[in-house]
Amino acid sequence: MAIEVGAIVLALGLLMAVAYRGLPVIVFAPLCALLAAALSGLPLLPSYTDLFMTGVAGFVRAFFPLFLLGAVFGKMIDASGSAATIAAAMIRALGPRHAIPAVVLAGAVLTYGGVSLFVVAFAVYPLGAALFRDADIPKRLLPAAIALGAFTFTMDALPGTPQIQNIIPTRFFKTDAYAAPVVGLIGAALVLFGGLFWLDRRRAWAAAAGEGYGAGHLQEPEARTGDDLPSLGAAVLPLILVLAVNFVLSRTAWSIDLWYPEASIRKAFPATNPRDAAPSWAVIVALSVGITTTLALHARRMRVSVSASLSAATAGALPAIFNTASEVGFGTVIKSLPGFEVLRGWVLDVSRNVLLSEAVAVNALAGVTGSASGGLSIALEVMGEYYLEAARAQGVAPELLHRIASMASGGMDTLPHNGAVITLLAITGLTHRQSYPDIFAITLIKTAVVLALALSAASLPG
């Protein structure tokens, strides 16, 4: 059994090394999985075609529309200037005296409205850099401020966020995007205020040392201004519609299964369970409404043609979903190996509290893969059914499993090899050495909040 356990540990280590070096996970995830299968005595080709590809196909089938529509919506919001308008309005409202909260809230509004994290970084950076320069705050703190607004509480804690990290658990726990709203709101508040406190202390320490914005920075931006930007109302409307439609279809009496009667669906599509698919359907419809509204309002204002925007969005969505799907395929192979039962026992022995055990497992795998969605998918693919059974035995609601898993995915995922972190630093023209310590501090705050909630969530109301 030691050989089988070692095979899994070796495969995980290699996958982490590959992700850290920026090599394509879509290529190396199956190779790592097949290495573990071979060392465990399983035949290679069936492990690839019947295990790995089954996991990949299942994930793509479930979530491809969300990746694609999310990428298209984000591109449209960016190309129309709406993202720049919203960020500028938030920054104007708070002003240079509150530069850090302004940048954080600008990113938060865009992310919660359904805009992808990468688009948010591109949109907020030019305005944030100008604000930090006016307030004479060190530029090295800007990536952490953007990360706090876009990569943390609005990505996975706030109920109803349409980001994929909040949708993946619905497949495993039969929940919706608004699962455990009280826990999500408490977690979001703790992360937001904890992160703002840290960044303000860092600003004060820098000011006391005589450090300002600095000079000679690379990639100093030029913000979009003037008549080419839409009004704030027109810019915000598509985001509001995404949130409103998602809420109406998920949580009100006008739920999607009333529009599509369950009996009719089961007759035409016997393998489909409408109640399981409804959370994804709600986000698909919501993002479609957002895209349609953006095109209707801003098609003439877009800096590039609609066809070019669609091509760019598609080019961005395909690597994202297939990288994550490859990690799910990796998890599908791993959970079938003889040594997995031993490793699962080790993970579950971390705590008898199912929420804490889940938080540790998801957080660790997100850190290993450098991906919130990848780590979350692997953890739930491998142990989601067990956690659901253990939660029922302990009287813990599936909604709490959803919220803790979602929030845990956004903890240690932002280690140095995380793709979003690398992209953010490239956008801002800064290095890991300059800015990563403060991003890591935000990562630690988020992780600490998740673990604390996992210990206490079952006793919270709602």
Side-chain angles (χ1 to χ4, degrees), residues 95-357:
R97 290 184 58 192
H98 303 287
I100 292 175
V103 170
V104 172
L105 292 178
V109 168
L110 290 168
T111 308
Y112 191 54
V115 180
S116 71
L117 313 182
F118 296 99
V119 171
V120 171
F122 276 106
V124 173
Y125 169 56
L127 299 155
L131 194 59
F132 270 48
R133 186 166 51 244
D134 292 344
D136 203 28
I137 298 172
K139 186 183 178 183
R140 60 183 174 83
L141 298 179
L142 181 55
I146 296 174
L148 176 59
F151 300 173
T152 60
F153 62 99
T154 50
M155 182 179 80
D156 52 41
L158 286 180
T161 176
Q163 299 296 332
I164 192 66
Q165 293 80 5
N166 188 43
I167 305 302
I168 289 174
T170 64
R171 176 188 176 198
F172 298 92
F173 301 135
K174 317 305 180 189
T175 51
D176 60 38
Y178 291 85
V182 173
V183 172
L185 290 170
I186 292 172
L190 291 174
V191 172
L192 172 61
F193 291 113
L196 287 174
F197 177 81
W198 170 262
L199 291 175
D200 188 63
R201 292 300 88 204
R202 293 285 283 169
R203 177 202 58 77
W205 293 335
E211 180 186 0
Y213 183 80
H217 292 298
L218 300 175
Q219 296 179 207
E220 282 296 274
E222 294 182 7
R224 270 185 87 183
T225 57
D227 296 336
D228 62 330
L229 293 180
S231 67
L232 180 59
V236 169
L237 180 60
L239 277 68
I240 293 175
L241 286 176
V242 169
L243 294 173
V245 172
N246 186 28
F247 179 81
V248 168
L249 297 183
S250 297
R251 303 290 289 186
T252 70
W254 297 96
S255 59
I256 203 160
D257 59 332
L258 293 181
W259 292 15
Y260 303 99
E262 186 170 342
S264 300
I265 292 179
R266 287 192 178 278
K267 183 177 180 180
F269 302 96
T272 299
N273 186 335
R275 298 189 181 278
D276 293 347
S280 293
W281 289 349
V283 178
I284 288 171
V285 174
L287 289 173
S288 299
V289 170
I291 292 168
T292 303
T293 305
T294 303
L295 287 173
L297 293 174
H298 307 302
R300 294 182 180 179
R301 187 179 284 109
M302 289 187 180
R303 290 176 292 175
V304 294
S305 68
V306 173
S307 61
S309 295
L310 290 173
S311 297
T314 302
L318 291 178
I321 188 166
F322 280 105
N323 278 333
T324 306
S326 291
E327 290 168 337
V328 172
F330 175 87
T332 304
V333 174
I334 293 301
K335 73 177 183 180
S336 69
L337 301 181
F340 170 70
E341 290 300 322
V342 176
L343 284 181
R344 187 175 75 169
W346 291 350
V347 172
L348 299 176
D349 284 344
V350 168
S351 173
R352 293 184 179 179
N353 181 329
V354 64
L355 295 176
L356 183 59
S357 175

